[in-house]
Amino acid sequence: KQEVTQIPAALSVPEGENLVLNCSFTDSAIYNLQWFRQDPGKGLTSLLLIQSSQREQTSGRLNASLDKSSGRSTLYIAASQPGDSATYLCAVTWGGANSKLTFGKGITLSVRP
Amino acid sequence: DTGVSQDPRHKITKRGQNVTFRCDPISEHNRLYWYRQTLGQGPEFLTYFQNEAQLEKSRLLSDRFSAERPKGSFSTLEIQRTEQGDSAMYLCASSLAFEQFFGPGTRLTVL
C-alpha cells in the first residue's frame, strides 16, 4: 500500500533555530513530492515541488530534499520565525502528472518567540 | 491569476439535508481535484477531472456524493442525505502541469 508518514506529529522550537521536518513514503517509484503549509482552518499553500529526477529544491529559507532509494524527503527551514508556525504537509504522487496526491498527516510546528 | 476559489467557505446543515459546494479553478487549469480533510488528518483524495471528464473516483466517494464539471470550468460537489460523518473540510485543487494549487476549502458541519 502506498503511504506517506510524517513523524513527529508536533514540534516546538525557539525562534532562530534551523530545523528539519521529515517525510517518509513507501514505494520509491514516486512521480513527484510536494510540501505544503496549512494555517489553522485554512487551505493549503504549496511551498516546494520536487520531481522524481531532482534531488532538492530551494525557495528562500526553505530547502527540500528527496532520496527516493531510502523513501525519504526532508524540509529544512533556516532561521525559523514565529510566522513559520503552521502545519506542514508532505504529499506524494505515484501515478504520473495527472494523479492524485497522497498526504501524510502533517507536522504542526510552533516557533516560540 | 486569482487563485482557486471555493464557495461557501462555511456550511452548517442538519443531518439528512443535501448540500452543494462550488470550486472555481485557476483559469486555463484543465485538471481539478476534490479532497476531504478531517481534523488532525491529511487531505484524502475524492475525485479528479480532466476538463469535463471525471477520470477517477475514490472509494470514499459513496453513492451520496456526486461531482460535476460542466464545460470543463467550475466544479460542484453535492452530498445528499448528509450524515454527521460527512463533517470535514472539503478542498479543491487545480493544476496545469505537475503542481497542484489549493483553494481555501469549504468547512462542512453536519448537526
Side-chain angles (χ1 to χ4, degrees):
Chain A
K1 183 179 178 183
Q2 294 168 330
E3 294 181 332
V4 178
T5 302
Q6 293 184 258
I7 296 172
L11 187 62
S12 179
V13 300
E15 182 178 3
E17 189 163 300
N18 302 326
L19 59 101
V20 172
L21 306 181
N22 293 309
C23 171
S24 62
F25 47 89
T26 59
D27 190 351
S28 60
I30 71 170
Y31 186 77
N32 63 41
L33 184 147
Q34 220 170 327
W35 280 94
F36 294 90
R37 168 183 173 142
Q38 186 174 34
D39 293 292
K42 305 293 186 182
L44 278 64
T45 300
S46 179
L47 297 174
L48 290 163
L49 178 142
I50 309 178
Q51 301 277 30
S52 61
S53 59
Q54 298 173 321
R55 296 297 298 272
E56 65 178 313
Q57 284 284 342
T58 298
S59 176
R61 294 183 294 109
L62 305 179
N63 175 278
S65 67
L66 175 64
D67 184 343
K68 288 193 302 179
S69 61
S70 66
R72 293 175 184 269
S73 175
T74 61
L75 178 67
Y76 174 83
I77 303 177
S80 58
Q81 304 169 358
D84 295 329
S85 298
T87 296
Y88 291 82
L89 292 147
C90 169
V92 174
T93 299
W94 271 285
N98 297 338
S99 295
K100 62 183 181 287
L101 290 166
T102 299
F103 284 84
K105 292 184 178 182
I107 298 173
T108 298
L109 172 66
S110 174
V111 181
R112 308 186 301 271
Chain B
D1 181 355
T2 58
V4 178
S5 61
Q6 293 186 245
D7 185 69
R9 297 290 305 277
H10 303 274
K11 179 70 177 180
I12 299 173
T13 191
K14 294 182 179 179
R15 188 176 55 184
Q17 297 295 304
N18 300 341
V19 295
T20 300
F21 310 141
R22 176 180 171 124
C23 171
D24 286 88
I26 294 171
S27 59
E28 301 180 354
H29 279 196
N30 59 345
R31 300 175 191 144
L32 187 146
Y33 305 79
W34 285 98
Y35 294 84
R36 180 172 70 184
Q37 185 179 27
T38 54
L39 199 62
Q41 304 294 313
E44 295 176 291
F45 170 78
L46 292 178
T47 190
Y48 154 64
F49 291 85
Q50 180 155 326
N51 299 313
E52 65 274 11
Q54 187 173 20
L55 297 185
E56 187 175 353
K57 290 167 54 174
S58 164
R59 284 175 289 182
L60 291 175
L61 216 64
S62 75
D63 292 344
R64 297 185 296 106
F65 288 70
S66 63
E68 295 182 341
R69 193 184 181 195
K71 303 179 183 178
S73 55
F74 71 93
S75 175
T76 59
L77 177 67
E78 181 183 16
I79 309 175
Q80 295 182 329
R81 305 181 303 282
T82 52
E83 302 172 356
Q84 288 185 325
D86 297 331
S87 295
M89 175 79 88
Y90 289 83
L91 294 161
C92 175
S94 70
S95 73
L96 183 61
F98 308 115
E99 193 170 1
Q100 292 189 26
F101 296 89
F102 282 75
T106 294
R107 168 75 65 188
L108 173 66
T109 302
V110 181
L111 302 177

